[in-house]
Amino acid sequence: MTARLPRPPHEGPGSDFLPAEAPREMVPAPLGQPVPARRALSSGIGITLRRGLILVATAALTLAGCAKMYQVVEVGGVTVLEGMVLVLFSILLAWIAFAFVTALAGFGVMLARPREAIPIAVDGPLPTLSSRTAMLLPTYNEDPDAVMIRLRAMIESIADTGQAAQFDWFLLSDTTDPDIWIGEEAAFLALRQACGGARVFYRHRTDNVARKSGNIAEWVRRFGAAYEHMIILDADSLMSGTTVVRLAHAMEQAPQAGLIQTLPVIVNGTSLFARLQQFAGRLYGPVIAAGNAWWYGSEGNYWGHNAIIRVAAFAQDAALPELRGRKPFGGHILSHDFIEAALMRRAGWGIYMTVNLGGSFEEVPPSLIDYAARDRRWCQGNLQHLAVLPARGLHWASRLHLLIGIGAYVTAPLWLAFLVLGILISLQANFVRPEYFPKGFALFPSWPAQDPVLAAQVFGATIGLLMIPKLLACLATLVTATRRRGFGGGVRLCAAVLTETLLSALIAPSMMIFQSVAVIEILLGRDAGWQVQRRSDGGVSRQEIVSKFALPTVCGLVMAASATAVSVPLLAWMSPVIAGLVLAIPIGLLTASPRGGARLFTTPEDRVPPPVLVRAKELAEEKRPARGPALAELLQNRELRRRHVEALPAPQRRQPGDIDVDLATARARITEAGSFAQATGFLSRRETLAVLKDGTTLEQLVALPA
């Protein structure tokens, strides 16, 4: 049981936006030096045997498949192109086999229901907490009202447990849009008023160094000593009060635990693409997650949100260093979650995953374009992990997590190369005359003839490894009455699985092109930046879809022409990939359409929504306040302006000659203006942001005649 920490007073210095600071040291951990573990931690012989079974089964399937593939290509001798195909096939088959074996283990887990590595009661009376937990929601240019709606639903859900006093809420803003910044402050004050006695705080960071990881680290350094645990949320996260309480209690009962990751369920999808992802994640996700958790033990992983973290472990051992070199590989680590988990495990803290707890929700991008844009950022972050892999002292399972994250994107260009090499080999066989008579004397010619039956068997076995996990997930649901009813019954479930499989097969080739381009761009040094994620219902313009899907379409037409030049059978063989590419634009338009697939792709959360989702929907249907531009809003709302100025950090001393160009320009424009309206018309977005950060200049602006 952890010791009770002192509760900070409600009001901090200068503003009630924040509590009094409780600093905690957080120094970046060196990657090139060994770090002594703070505690000895082992998952036990049982987990070791499970991992051995997973790896041996993966190796056996890979070797068997490669042996068959070698028999296909070795007829007449293995050429250079065929050797390259064999190497690529081996890598890709190992990737597929690992996922297949994990899903097979997950299927067995779902039927047998063994005890999880971190015991958490999923039902029964709620435990009483003695520790204090901070709920952290980092945000960057998100819709402030939508963010506050989710926060309020969670605050009320925890209040229903009777243990709200053990939780403080922090909205940690990295917002750079002036209008959204002031909208956040106004929505925060309204949220605090609506939630009564809830301890809700807001901090806007003027320097966005290190993005989300820097946002969290800054909070730890300022306030971390007042809390034993923190739960990290995303802007689209929702968690039920009972889940949060049970997570906090599990941390109290397991002092070796540094982090417990929940399994978020996708909800609130409205477009066809979002519904497709929601259905697939809800049906197949638990099987894969159960298989992973079965062999993770105390060497689990972290997905960056909907997880509870021990603040002391995070502060002592998970501070991220800055990578050497230039972007995109150098600089601040983007996909920080994997690294933070690996560093905490290196220091001896347990990293666990719970699959059965429930009550953890998230949303998904509304269109394939938005999904690919988010994927581009994740791709750059995961490829950065190549620089972290050699770090001293990491557990081998943590290195495996990093390799899996890298492989999630590297396999896309490998698949593309595999397809292109296959076409080149076919073109070579079709247009280059084979050498039937070897050098020297021979009575009979050498007729190279590949076995089409054996090739079909290899192809069929590969497809089977891809499809069987889906069938196992469907079977695990069909045999359980409550799960089956949650998906609308057996007939609807089977129809949805068939439709999802078809649509996913058509979408996959475009994602292969998008991810391949992303990997190539990153290797060429192009940084992804930090764009705002669209969370609407998929309202993507036709022009944007045509523009984004033009490249996959062209690739599909080139592949179709190349295959046709060889033979019609080759065209038929490659038709699944070619169809997905040639039809990329229609598929993009179809899947971005709002309100598609709701009846077919139903999930348990649609049929019986949890209370926290119901409450969030009720709040979303309420009328939102109309808000104008940031400066006009502050001019009209004197109380908001007072609170805003009080919450600004103290101005930093500047060195002689160090001038804030945006602020200096804004002051000059304000001085030249004859009215407030004229001054705000002069100011650019960057200059407006500079004014909002400087209380003196802001007061000078609002003092102008309207």
Side-chain angles (χ1 to χ4, degrees):
M1 191 71 66
T2 50
R4 188 73 174 267
L5 295 178
R7 177 175 293 279
H10 183 78
E11 293 191 2
S15 171
D16 65 350
F17 274 30
L18 288 170
E21 294 193 2
R24 185 186 285 272
E25 187 179 21
M26 188 171 181
V27 180
L31 297 180
Q33 301 176 14
V35 175
R38 300 180 186 275
R39 59 184 66 230
L41 183 66
S42 174
S43 293
I45 188 64
I47 296 296
T48 301
L49 292 175
R50 293 176 184 182
R51 291 169 179 168
L53 182 61
I54 293 287
L55 295 178
V56 168
T58 299
L61 286 173
T62 303
L63 290 175
C66 291
K68 290 292 185 181
M69 187 65 177
Y70 178 77
Q71 294 178 23
V72 171
V73 301
E74 64 89 24
V75 177
V78 179
T79 66
V80 173
L81 290 180
E82 289 173 337
M84 295 171 65
V85 164
L86 188 59
V87 170
L88 289 176
F89 179 80
S90 302
I91 297 172
L92 295 171
L93 182 60
W95 178 261
I96 295 172
F98 183 79
F100 169 79
V101 173
T102 301
L104 195 62
F107 176 72
V109 168
M110 291 187 70
L111 296 182
R113 290 190 172 275
R115 184 180 180 183
E116 291 189 327
I118 186 78
I120 302 179
V122 299
D123 50 23
L126 282 179
T128 301
L129 300 178
S130 61
S131 59
R132 301 186 58 247
T133 299
M135 308 289 294
L136 308 183
L137 198 161
T139 181
Y140 174 74
N141 290 338
E142 298 281 349
D143 180 348
D145 292 310
V147 170
M148 299 305 168
I149 283 170
R150 299 184 186 100
L151 264 182
R152 182 175 173 183
M154 289 186 283
I155 290 171
E156 293 178 357
S157 182
I158 285 186
D160 290 341
T161 68
Q163 302 196 55
Q166 305 306 122
F167 298 90
D168 288 357
W169 302 79
F170 289 82
L171 182 65
L172 306 177
S173 172
D174 262 349
T175 290
T176 57
D177 185 293
D179 297 339
I180 296 178
W181 178 9
I182 301 307
E184 285 174 352
E185 292 184 342
F188 160 72
L189 293 173
L191 172 69
R192 177 178 279 182
Q193 183 178 8
C195 292
R199 294 171 50 79
V200 191
F201 304 104
Y202 173 85
R203 190 271 288 127
H204 179 266
R205 195 166 63 130
T206 57
D207 185 0
N208 305 133
V209 61
R211 304 184 185 182
K212 182 179 177 179
S213 63
N215 198 353
I216 298 296
E218 193 263 3
W219 178 89
V220 171
R221 293 188 179 101
R222 291 181 63 185
F223 306 102
Y227 304 92
E228 289 155 308
H229 316 126
M230 58 183 180
I231 290 182
I232 309 298
L233 303 165
D234 263 355
D236 59 0
S237 293
L238 273 172
M239 296 184 74
S240 71
T242 56
T243 294
V244 170
V245 169
R246 293 188 189 280
L247 280 174
H249 182 257
M251 293 292 279
E252 291 178 353
Q253 300 301 308
Q256 81 283 4
L259 182 148
I260 303 175
Q261 174 68 62
T262 66
L263 177 62
V265 171
I266 299 173
V267 294
N268 297 333
T270 55
S271 67
L272 177 58
F273 178 79
R275 296 294 310 186
L276 195 69
Q277 296 298 308
Q278 180 172 315
F279 173 82
R282 189 65 177 87
L283 181 62
Y284 313 137
V287 174
I288 300 295
N292 284 329
W294 184 71
W295 66 264
Y296 277 179
S298 59
E299 286 75 44
N301 208 355
Y302 171 39
W303 300 338
H305 61 282
N306 292 37
I308 188 167
I309 303 174
R310 193 175 303 278
V311 178
F314 190 84
Q316 293 167 0
D317 303 306
L320 299 178
E322 190 170 346
L323 300 179
R324 296 179 180 178
R326 294 184 299 176
K327 293 181 179 180
F329 289 109
H332 297 289
I333 297 174
L334 301 183
S335 291
H336 53 91
D337 38 17
F338 282 36
I339 308 301
E340 289 159 347
L343 294 178
M344 282 190 283
R345 181 60 191 87
R346 178 175 73 166
W349 298 100
I351 310 298
Y352 298 97
M353 180 176 180
T354 177
V355 178
N356 299 323
L357 183 58
S360 179
F361 310 100
E362 63 177 345
E363 296 181 5
V364 72
S367 71
L368 185 55
I369 289 177
D370 298 302
Y371 187 88
R374 186 186 72 175
D375 221 40
R376 171 65 173 80
R377 297 193 301 273
W378 288 2
C379 177
Q380 179 175 331
N382 283 19
L383 290 183
Q384 273 188 320
H385 295 171
L386 288 167
V388 183
L389 273 173
R392 300 283 297 275
L394 295 185
H395 195 282
W396 72 266
S398 298
R399 297 188 201 275
L400 181 59
H401 293 318
L402 297 179
L403 284 172
I404 291 172
I406 295 168
Y409 296 98
V410 173
T411 50
L414 294 184
W415 276 115
L416 182 59
F418 181 78
L419 293 172
V420 171
L421 286 174
I423 293 176
L424 291 177
I425 290 173
S426 299
L427 287 171
Q428 176 181 276
N430 195 55
F431 294 106
V432 177
R433 184 176 178 179
E435 186 65 51
Y436 295 114
F437 292 92
K439 293 181 179 180
F441 177 76
L443 291 176
F444 303 101
S446 174
W447 302 103
Q450 294 180 345
D451 187 346
V453 175
L454 184 59
Q457 289 175 351
V458 173
F459 176 78
T462 305
I463 295 299
L465 292 179
L466 289 169
M467 294 301 302
I468 289 176
K470 293 190 174 189
L471 299 178
L472 292 177
C474 183
L475 180 60
T477 302
L478 289 173
V479 299
T480 307
T482 54
R483 291 200 196 112
R484 185 174 64 249
R485 287 194 296 268
F487 287 92
V491 174
R492 179 179 295 185
L493 174 63
C494 293
V497 168
L498 290 174
T499 306
E500 183 276 332
T501 300
L502 175 61
L503 289 175
S504 295
L506 292 173
I507 290 172
S510 293
M511 283 304 303
M512 175 186 68
I513 298 298
F514 289 145
Q515 289 181 341
S516 299
V517 170
V519 171
I520 293 171
E521 287 180 344
I522 292 166
L523 294 177
L524 293 176
R526 181 177 176 184
D527 184 32
W530 196 12
Q531 289 80 29
V532 182
Q533 183 171 313
R534 181 162 42 196
R535 302 188 191 274
S536 64
D537 61 357
V540 186
S541 68
R542 185 183 299 269
Q543 181 179 1
E544 184 178 3
I545 291 176
V546 171
S547 173
K548 296 292 186 181
F549 285 97
L551 179 59
T553 302
V554 170
C555 290
L557 293 174
V558 171
M559 282 188 181
S562 302
T564 304
V566 176
S567 66
V568 174
L570 179 62
L571 178 65
W573 187 269
M574 297 188 61
S575 60
V577 175
I578 292 174
L581 294 174
V582 173
L583 299 175
I585 293 175
I587 293 169
L589 292 169
L590 174 66
T591 55
S593 60
R595 307 189 185 283
R599 297 187 64 181
L600 178 61
F601 297 120
T602 186
T603 62
E605 287 69 32
D606 295 324
R607 301 180 67 82
V608 185
V612 69
L613 295 184
V614 173
R615 182 56 178 155
K617 184 177 181 180
E618 291 173 353
L619 294 171
E621 291 173 351
E622 294 180 359
K623 185 177 180 180
R624 297 188 182 187
R627 296 195 178 94
L631 295 174
E633 191 74 18
L634 292 178
L635 175 67
Q636 298 169 6
N637 192 332
R638 298 179 64 180
E639 178 63 16
L640 177 61
R641 185 169 76 247
R642 181 185 69 81
R643 296 287 193 93
H644 170 79
V645 173
E646 287 180 351
L648 291 174
Q652 297 180 349
R653 289 187 178 183
R654 297 183 180 274
Q655 298 294 326
D658 185 9
I659 299 174
D660 185 333
V661 176
D662 292 325
L663 181 59
T665 306
R667 286 172 174 171
R669 294 185 189 279
I670 292 171
T671 302
E672 292 293 325
S675 67
F676 177 87
Q678 188 179 43
T680 54
F682 288 160
L683 298 176
S684 68
R685 173 174 165 174
R686 291 172 59 92
E687 293 159 1
T688 300
L689 195 61
V691 171
L692 292 177
K693 294 177 181 178
D694 187 81
T696 302
T697 307
L698 178 61
E699 293 298 341
Q700 178 187 351
L701 173 62
V702 298
L704 292 173

